[in-house]
Amino acid sequence: MTGDKLLQIEGLTKAYPGVVANDGVGFSVAPGEVHALLGENGAGKSTLVKMIYGLVKPDAGTMRLMGKPYTPAEPRAARASGVAMVFQHFSLFEALNVAENVALGMENPPPMGDLAKRIREISNAYGLPLDPERLVGDLSAGERQRVEIIRCLLQDPKLLIMDEPTSVLTPQEVGILFHTLRKLSSEGTAILYISHKLEEIRSLCDGATILRGGKVVATCTPRDKTARELAEMMVGGEFKATDRAQRTLGHTIFEVKDLDLAPMSQFGPALKKVTLSLRAGEVLGVGGVAGNGQEELLATLSGERVSAPGTVLLHGQDISGLGPNDRRRLGLQGAPEERLGHAAVPAMSLTDNALLTGTVRRPLTNRGFLDMKAARLFAEEIIKNFDVRTPGPHVAARALSGGNLQKFVIGREVLQYPEVLIVNQPTWGVDAAAAASIRQALLDLASKGAAVIVISQDLDELMEIADRFCALNEGRLSAPRDTEGLTLDEIGLMLGGAHGMQEAAL
Amino acid sequence: MITLVKRPTPSRGWSYTTPLLAVLATMIVGGLMFAALGKDPAQAIRMIFWDPLFGPNAAYFRGQLLVKAGPLILIASGLAVGFRAGIWNIGAEGQYIIGAICGASVALAAYPAESHLLFPAMIVAGALGGWLWGMIPAVLKVVFNTSEILVSLMLVYVAQNLLAYAAFGPLKNPQGFGFPGSRNLQQYPSAHNPELFAGTGAHWGVLAALIAVIGAYILMHRHIAGFRIRVAGEAPRAARFAGVVPARLVMFCLGLSGALAGLAGLFEVSGPSGQITDGFNAGYGFTAIIVAFLGRLHPLGILLAGLLMALTYIGGDMAQMMLGLPGAAIQVFQGMLLFFLLGFDVLTNYRIRIGRARA
């Protein structure tokens, strides 16, 4: 039995202070198998793959690779044994070209000319065309991911670990990636695939191990289950879908007209002629791959960046030149994507973080003087209403898990009852149950008559809650379409198709 | 094996304990250094920390304590506001000098007229001078994105040259028999900043320092403006999100710390020092940086730290005279205080775990 397994794991345990991240985890992967690791955030998937990749040492348990004991002391040892990993966050230098970036990740890089040739060969062989001479800063997210994948493939891995690889891709790009992964698997390379996207897992993976609370709770063949069944196995209970109650749309309250913005950083996108309008009670979904202007859009709408006169209007009033607090006073609130350091101050308490945006619409100050008691009560109100799991409002923001902090951030804005709320990636890295409650909160706010803009890379999320959908691609916003009846293919084309990447020739 | 584990929430207890630990460690290591220099460490430490307060000549030294602590606290209160926001004014020494020159110039221009309005006018001029000198790095930072650290520091040397020029040139006492230095303001009643209570050393500058401490406390811990300043230091993007305009913040912080340093210079030149000389500045502007950090950038901490630092100044002078300790040894001793404080600071944000080395 051991002989025909590529990777076999038994009783793997890893404890951190106060939490057992992995508790006696065991599973196996056969050569050529595409195996999914499923679980909510905090279920222990990351710890598990970090142990396999040699980043974390297990407290107990054994791993065998190709029948032999496998105890990688560091990622270099893992790579030498034939294990490669593509991380969710790329580690690439924008100012260097593709070949230089690949060379930086290799132990003994060959001469640049040879390497460029090898990159061309491999990338063509696997249907991921890539020009080794191009600057990484000019590549799309999908192309950057190719660089990471090709860097791994150059080592001829036996096991390829991929952490949420499709979160940055358009549907067409996902198609290309899946072609490549299937080809790799047909050649005998096993793939360990981590994703939240259940439909993807059903179409791609041969087997799945489901983790909950650090333990393996089930193994299954994903094709034989529905996405709903998979979700219920992950959360260990019935999955509550969001309630999209009937909403009546009011008149237009928020308009953006021909909004331009220069890039905020060297390789950042510019906003070009962004135009949209929003009615009371409406949820507008803005889809798009990260780095296409989402951050810039949020910054100009929330007031962190000002724009030319007449470009941003609330109730017909020009607010283009107003700062964030003036816009809050008029009823426009925002919640940026980056929780730690942007939407919240990591080292400050939740009470202080409630003050961060809450002083304008809530009576938390008296002629500029802080009313700490009122602030604490406001923080407690957010914690209670949004089920933020924390010992209390005195806890520092950075001590909260990502999902809990996100609930706090969204709660802070929602409980100020804005007329227009703009959120960027409201459920990024948030577990399924918390994500559902955040989506529900946004819908509830809309049903009370607020206009909500949800910027997200998660198309399923946008289809679930948005009334209209538009795509942000290289700083341009497409014309909105009703989400009802919109197909995945149409969405993909709105998102810029394969972003100019060539289709796999397989 | 010792490992550092990051605390999820910074420890309150440790943030109060570390300054005391730092003082203790400075005494021990400083004592070792004094012993290596062939002096009795116990005697040296006692002379620095004890004798100025309770020794045989304490009556004289106690007055000196407030004279030294006043400008340190006044300057450090302003610096700490900027440091909290991540705006590093290292040039308080220069702003102190310019404040003194401006204040003294007003007095010398009016000499020998007597008026109750003169001293207030000098205060305004001193604060304005320091403010202007602080605005130079501020404007350069806002317009050209220069480093306020380097610009403010370099402006100290410009200020020192201006000071020498003033002392030898336009502000020189015409009745000074050719000696460099201005008229002594202590002998010009309208311009004199006298001791308010005999024997305490408390002059108007000490009162100003107290007001600055209270004002800084209210600003930083009771008012939304101070809250936003703290946010800007912790997380600049979050501050923008909270409506902070970075350019305005830079102007405010450098302007405020410059004005307070300028005031300290004015009170010094019109009081304890009395005249503009080319060696007028005594390093208060630099030592105030240590005071600000030793006091945890907290106004009340700065009050205590300023007193402690003044004590080491006075006690250090005494040890230098009585024990023949080299002056550099005293400076090393003061430097140790900051060194140990920053070192022990790790404990506020990290826990030490001894034993298994598991990441």
Side-chain angles (χ1 to χ4, degrees), chain B residues 140-154:
Chain B
L140 289 176
K141 185 180 176 72
V142 168
V143 178
F144 298 111
N145 200 22
T146 55
S147 158
E148 78 278 17
I149 299 177
L150 293 176
V151 176
S152 65
L153 179 62
M154 290 189 293

mmCIF file with all atom_site columns, all heavy atoms in Angstrom, chain B residues 140-154:
data_model
loop_
_atom_site.group_PDB
_atom_site.id
_atom_site.type_symbol
_atom_site.label_atom_id
_atom_site.label_alt_id
_atom_site.label_comp_id
_atom_site.label_asym_id
_atom_site.label_entity_id
_atom_site.label_seq_id
_atom_site.pdbx_PDB_ins_code
_atom_site.Cartn_x
_atom_site.Cartn_y
_atom_site.Cartn_z
_atom_site.occupancy
_atom_site.B_iso_or_equiv
_atom_site.pdbx_formal_charge
_atom_site.auth_seq_id
_atom_site.auth_comp_id
_atom_site.auth_asym_id
_atom_site.auth_atom_id
_atom_site.pdbx_PDB_model_num
ATOM 1   N N   . LEU B 1 140 ? 10.071 71.860 3.514  1.00 0.00 ? 140 LEU B N   1
ATOM 2   C CA  . LEU B 1 140 ? 10.889 71.077 2.576  1.00 0.00 ? 140 LEU B CA  1
ATOM 3   C C   . LEU B 1 140 ? 10.362 69.657 2.454  1.00 0.00 ? 140 LEU B C   1
ATOM 4   O O   . LEU B 1 140 ? 10.380 69.059 1.380  1.00 0.00 ? 140 LEU B O   1
ATOM 5   C CB  . LEU B 1 140 ? 12.357 71.061 3.029  1.00 0.00 ? 140 LEU B CB  1
ATOM 6   C CG  . LEU B 1 140 ? 13.101 72.381 2.870  1.00 0.00 ? 140 LEU B CG  1
ATOM 7   C CD1 . LEU B 1 140 ? 14.513 72.272 3.431  1.00 0.00 ? 140 LEU B CD1 1
ATOM 8   C CD2 . LEU B 1 140 ? 13.143 72.788 1.401  1.00 0.00 ? 140 LEU B CD2 1
ATOM 9   N N   . LYS B 1 141 ? 9.891  69.108 3.568  1.00 0.00 ? 141 LYS B N   1
ATOM 10  C CA  . LYS B 1 141 ? 9.358  67.735 3.518  1.00 0.00 ? 141 LYS B CA  1
ATOM 11  C C   . LYS B 1 141 ? 8.069  67.686 2.706  1.00 0.00 ? 141 LYS B C   1
ATOM 12  O O   . LYS B 1 141 ? 7.880  66.808 1.870  1.00 0.00 ? 141 LYS B O   1
ATOM 13  C CB  . LYS B 1 141 ? 9.094  67.220 4.935  1.00 0.00 ? 141 LYS B CB  1
ATOM 14  C CG  . LYS B 1 141 ? 8.661  65.748 4.963  1.00 0.00 ? 141 LYS B CG  1
ATOM 15  C CD  . LYS B 1 141 ? 8.418  65.288 6.389  1.00 0.00 ? 141 LYS B CD  1
ATOM 16  C CE  . LYS B 1 141 ? 7.899  63.868 6.433  1.00 0.00 ? 141 LYS B CE  1
ATOM 17  N NZ  . LYS B 1 141 ? 8.910  62.862 6.099  1.00 0.00 ? 141 LYS B NZ  1
ATOM 18  N N   . VAL B 1 142 ? 7.215  68.663 2.953  1.00 0.00 ? 142 VAL B N   1
ATOM 19  C CA  . VAL B 1 142 ? 5.922  68.643 2.259  1.00 0.00 ? 142 VAL B CA  1
ATOM 20  C C   . VAL B 1 142 ? 6.103  68.887 0.758  1.00 0.00 ? 142 VAL B C   1
ATOM 21  O O   . VAL B 1 142 ? 5.495  68.228 -0.073 1.00 0.00 ? 142 VAL B O   1
ATOM 22  C CB  . VAL B 1 142 ? 4.981  69.693 2.875  1.00 0.00 ? 142 VAL B CB  1
ATOM 23  C CG1 . VAL B 1 142 ? 3.760  69.893 2.003  1.00 0.00 ? 142 VAL B CG1 1
ATOM 24  C CG2 . VAL B 1 142 ? 4.570  69.268 4.277  1.00 0.00 ? 142 VAL B CG2 1
ATOM 25  N N   . VAL B 1 143 ? 6.986  69.831 0.425  1.00 0.00 ? 143 VAL B N   1
ATOM 26  C CA  . VAL B 1 143 ? 7.115  70.206 -0.987 1.00 0.00 ? 143 VAL B CA  1
ATOM 27  C C   . VAL B 1 143 ? 8.042  69.260 -1.744 1.00 0.00 ? 143 VAL B C   1
ATOM 28  O O   . VAL B 1 143 ? 7.722  68.795 -2.832 1.00 0.00 ? 143 VAL B O   1
ATOM 29  C CB  . VAL B 1 143 ? 7.610  71.664 -1.115 1.00 0.00 ? 143 VAL B CB  1
ATOM 30  C CG1 . VAL B 1 143 ? 7.784  72.028 -2.584 1.00 0.00 ? 143 VAL B CG1 1
ATOM 31  C CG2 . VAL B 1 143 ? 6.614  72.610 -0.457 1.00 0.00 ? 143 VAL B CG2 1
ATOM 32  N N   . PHE B 1 144 ? 9.194  68.928 -1.143 1.00 0.00 ? 144 PHE B N   1
ATOM 33  C CA  . PHE B 1 144 ? 10.183 68.126 -1.878 1.00 0.00 ? 144 PHE B CA  1
ATOM 34  C C   . PHE B 1 144 ? 10.364 66.722 -1.304 1.00 0.00 ? 144 PHE B C   1
ATOM 35  O O   . PHE B 1 144 ? 11.234 65.976 -1.751 1.00 0.00 ? 144 PHE B O   1
ATOM 36  C CB  . PHE B 1 144 ? 11.542 68.839 -1.880 1.00 0.00 ? 144 PHE B CB  1
ATOM 37  C CG  . PHE B 1 144 ? 11.506 70.176 -2.564 1.00 0.00 ? 144 PHE B CG  1
ATOM 38  C CD1 . PHE B 1 144 ? 11.647 71.340 -1.848 1.00 0.00 ? 144 PHE B CD1 1
ATOM 39  C CD2 . PHE B 1 144 ? 11.309 70.258 -3.943 1.00 0.00 ? 144 PHE B CD2 1
ATOM 40  C CE1 . PHE B 1 144 ? 11.603 72.579 -2.475 1.00 0.00 ? 144 PHE B CE1 1
ATOM 41  C CE2 . PHE B 1 144 ? 11.273 71.481 -4.574 1.00 0.00 ? 144 PHE B CE2 1
ATOM 42  C CZ  . PHE B 1 144 ? 11.422 72.648 -3.841 1.00 0.00 ? 144 PHE B CZ  1
ATOM 43  N N   . ASN B 1 145 ? 9.594  66.391 -0.272 1.00 0.00 ? 145 ASN B N   1
ATOM 44  C CA  . ASN B 1 145 ? 9.703  65.079 0.360  1.00 0.00 ? 145 ASN B CA  1
ATOM 45  C C   . ASN B 1 145 ? 11.111 64.807 0.889  1.00 0.00 ? 145 ASN B C   1
ATOM 46  O O   . ASN B 1 145 ? 11.624 63.695 0.777  1.00 0.00 ? 145 ASN B O   1
ATOM 47  C CB  . ASN B 1 145 ? 9.269  63.975 -0.620 1.00 0.00 ? 145 ASN B CB  1
ATOM 48  C CG  . ASN B 1 145 ? 8.906  62.707 0.121  1.00 0.00 ? 145 ASN B CG  1
ATOM 49  O OD1 . ASN B 1 145 ? 8.593  62.744 1.311  1.00 0.00 ? 145 ASN B OD1 1
ATOM 50  N ND2 . ASN B 1 145 ? 8.979  61.589 -0.566 1.00 0.00 ? 145 ASN B ND2 1
ATOM 51  N N   . THR B 1 146 ? 11.756 65.831 1.435  1.00 0.00 ? 146 THR B N   1
ATOM 52  C CA  . THR B 1 146 ? 13.073 65.622 2.039  1.00 0.00 ? 146 THR B CA  1
ATOM 53  C C   . THR B 1 146 ? 12.892 64.964 3.412  1.00 0.00 ? 146 THR B C   1
ATOM 54  O O   . THR B 1 146 ? 11.797 64.949 3.960  1.00 0.00 ? 146 THR B O   1
ATOM 55  C CB  . THR B 1 146 ? 13.786 66.965 2.258  1.00 0.00 ? 146 THR B CB  1
ATOM 56  O OG1 . THR B 1 146 ? 12.910 67.785 3.035  1.00 0.00 ? 146 THR B OG1 1
ATOM 57  C CG2 . THR B 1 146 ? 14.102 67.640 0.952  1.00 0.00 ? 146 THR B CG2 1
ATOM 58  N N   . SER B 1 147 ? 13.983 64.434 3.953  1.00 0.00 ? 147 SER B N   1
ATOM 59  C CA  . SER B 1 147 ? 13.924 63.824 5.277  1.00 0.00 ? 147 SER B CA  1
ATOM 60  C C   . SER B 1 147 ? 13.998 64.905 6.344  1.00 0.00 ? 147 SER B C   1
ATOM 61  O O   . SER B 1 147 ? 14.961 65.666 6.395  1.00 0.00 ? 147 SER B O   1
ATOM 62  C CB  . SER B 1 147 ? 15.087 62.847 5.455  1.00 0.00 ? 147 SER B CB  1
ATOM 63  O OG  . SER B 1 147 ? 15.327 62.648 6.832  1.00 0.00 ? 147 SER B OG  1
ATOM 64  N N   . GLU B 1 148 ? 12.970 64.979 7.194  1.00 0.00 ? 148 GLU B N   1
ATOM 65  C CA  . GLU B 1 148 ? 12.986 65.998 8.246  1.00 0.00 ? 148 GLU B CA  1
ATOM 66  C C   . GLU B 1 148 ? 14.075 65.701 9.259  1.00 0.00 ? 148 GLU B C   1
ATOM 67  O O   . GLU B 1 148 ? 14.564 66.601 9.935  1.00 0.00 ? 148 GLU B O   1
ATOM 68  C CB  . GLU B 1 148 ? 11.609 66.105 8.913  1.00 0.00 ? 148 GLU B CB  1
ATOM 69  C CG  . GLU B 1 148 ? 11.281 65.018 9.937  1.00 0.00 ? 148 GLU B CG  1
ATOM 70  C CD  . GLU B 1 148 ? 10.787 63.735 9.300  1.00 0.00 ? 148 GLU B CD  1
ATOM 71  O OE1 . GLU B 1 148 ? 10.999 63.549 8.089  1.00 0.00 ? 148 GLU B OE1 1
ATOM 72  O OE2 . GLU B 1 148 ? 10.207 62.894 10.016 1.00 0.00 ? 148 GLU B OE2 1
ATOM 73  N N   . ILE B 1 149 ? 14.487 64.439 9.359  1.00 0.00 ? 149 ILE B N   1
ATOM 74  C CA  . ILE B 1 149 ? 15.548 64.073 10.300 1.00 0.00 ? 149 ILE B CA  1
ATOM 75  C C   . ILE B 1 149 ? 16.835 64.793 9.921  1.00 0.00 ? 149 ILE B C   1
ATOM 76  O O   . ILE B 1 149 ? 17.458 65.487 10.727 1.00 0.00 ? 149 ILE B O   1
ATOM 77  C CB  . ILE B 1 149 ? 15.777 62.548 10.288 1.00 0.00 ? 149 ILE B CB  1
ATOM 78  C CG1 . ILE B 1 149 ? 14.506 61.822 10.703 1.00 0.00 ? 149 ILE B CG1 1
ATOM 79  C CG2 . ILE B 1 149 ? 16.954 62.172 11.185 1.00 0.00 ? 149 ILE B CG2 1
ATOM 80  C CD1 . ILE B 1 149 ? 14.615 60.314 10.647 1.00 0.00 ? 149 ILE B CD1 1
ATOM 81  N N   . LEU B 1 150 ? 17.230 64.635 8.654  1.00 0.00 ? 150 LEU B N   1
ATOM 82  C CA  . LEU B 1 150 ? 18.488 65.223 8.198  1.00 0.00 ? 150 LEU B CA  1
ATOM 83  C C   . LEU B 1 150 ? 18.405 66.743 8.175  1.00 0.00 ? 150 LEU B C   1
ATOM 84  O O   . LEU B 1 150 ? 19.312 67.425 8.660  1.00 0.00 ? 150 LEU B O   1
ATOM 85  C CB  . LEU B 1 150 ? 18.824 64.699 6.799  1.00 0.00 ? 150 LEU B CB  1
ATOM 86  C CG  . LEU B 1 150 ? 19.163 63.217 6.752  1.00 0.00 ? 150 LEU B CG  1
ATOM 87  C CD1 . LEU B 1 150 ? 19.391 62.770 5.323  1.00 0.00 ? 150 LEU B CD1 1
ATOM 88  C CD2 . LEU B 1 150 ? 20.400 62.933 7.598  1.00 0.00 ? 150 LEU B CD2 1
ATOM 89  N N   . VAL B 1 151 ? 17.322 67.278 7.630  1.00 0.00 ? 151 VAL B N   1
ATOM 90  C CA  . VAL B 1 151 ? 17.241 68.734 7.483  1.00 0.00 ? 151 VAL B CA  1
ATOM 91  C C   . VAL B 1 151 ? 17.231 69.402 8.853  1.00 0.00 ? 151 VAL B C   1
ATOM 92  O O   . VAL B 1 151 ? 17.968 70.360 9.099  1.00 0.00 ? 151 VAL B O   1
ATOM 93  C CB  . VAL B 1 151 ? 15.997 69.125 6.664  1.00 0.00 ? 151 VAL B CB  1
ATOM 94  C CG1 . VAL B 1 151 ? 15.873 70.634 6.600  1.00 0.00 ? 151 VAL B CG1 1
ATOM 95  C CG2 . VAL B 1 151 ? 16.080 68.552 5.259  1.00 0.00 ? 151 VAL B CG2 1
ATOM 96  N N   . SER B 1 152 ? 16.409 68.882 9.769  1.00 0.00 ? 152 SER B N   1
ATOM 97  C CA  . SER B 1 152 ? 16.337 69.543 11.074 1.00 0.00 ? 152 SER B CA  1
ATOM 98  C C   . SER B 1 152 ? 17.674 69.429 11.800 1.00 0.00 ? 152 SER B C   1
ATOM 99  O O   . SER B 1 152 ? 18.124 70.373 12.444 1.00 0.00 ? 152 SER B O   1
ATOM 100 C CB  . SER B 1 152 ? 15.199 68.953 11.920 1.00 0.00 ? 152 SER B CB  1
ATOM 101 O OG  . SER B 1 152 ? 15.440 67.602 12.229 1.00 0.00 ? 152 SER B OG  1
ATOM 102 N N   . LEU B 1 153 ? 18.352 68.289 11.647 1.00 0.00 ? 153 LEU B N   1
ATOM 103 C CA  . LEU B 1 153 ? 19.650 68.111 12.300 1.00 0.00 ? 153 LEU B CA  1
ATOM 104 C C   . LEU B 1 153 ? 20.679 69.088 11.722 1.00 0.00 ? 153 LEU B C   1
ATOM 105 O O   . LEU B 1 153 ? 21.406 69.757 12.456 1.00 0.00 ? 153 LEU B O   1
ATOM 106 C CB  . LEU B 1 153 ? 20.134 66.662 12.130 1.00 0.00 ? 153 LEU B CB  1
ATOM 107 C CG  . LEU B 1 153 ? 21.491 66.353 12.740 1.00 0.00 ? 153 LEU B CG  1
ATOM 108 C CD1 . LEU B 1 153 ? 21.471 66.567 14.243 1.00 0.00 ? 153 LEU B CD1 1
ATOM 109 C CD2 . LEU B 1 153 ? 21.928 64.930 12.421 1.00 0.00 ? 153 LEU B CD2 1
ATOM 110 N N   . MET B 1 154 ? 20.718 69.172 10.398 1.00 0.00 ? 154 MET B N   1
ATOM 111 C CA  . MET B 1 154 ? 21.722 70.052 9.788  1.00 0.00 ? 154 MET B CA  1
ATOM 112 C C   . MET B 1 154 ? 21.480 71.507 10.131 1.00 0.00 ? 154 MET B C   1
ATOM 113 O O   . MET B 1 154 ? 22.416 72.296 10.249 1.00 0.00 ? 154 MET B O   1
ATOM 114 C CB  . MET B 1 154 ? 21.737 69.838 8.274  1.00 0.00 ? 154 MET B CB  1
ATOM 115 C CG  . MET B 1 154 ? 22.312 68.478 7.908  1.00 0.00 ? 154 MET B CG  1
ATOM 116 S SD  . MET B 1 154 ? 22.613 68.242 6.158  1.00 0.00 ? 154 MET B SD  1
ATOM 117 C CE  . MET B 1 154 ? 20.980 68.248 5.501  1.00 0.00 ? 154 MET B CE  1
#
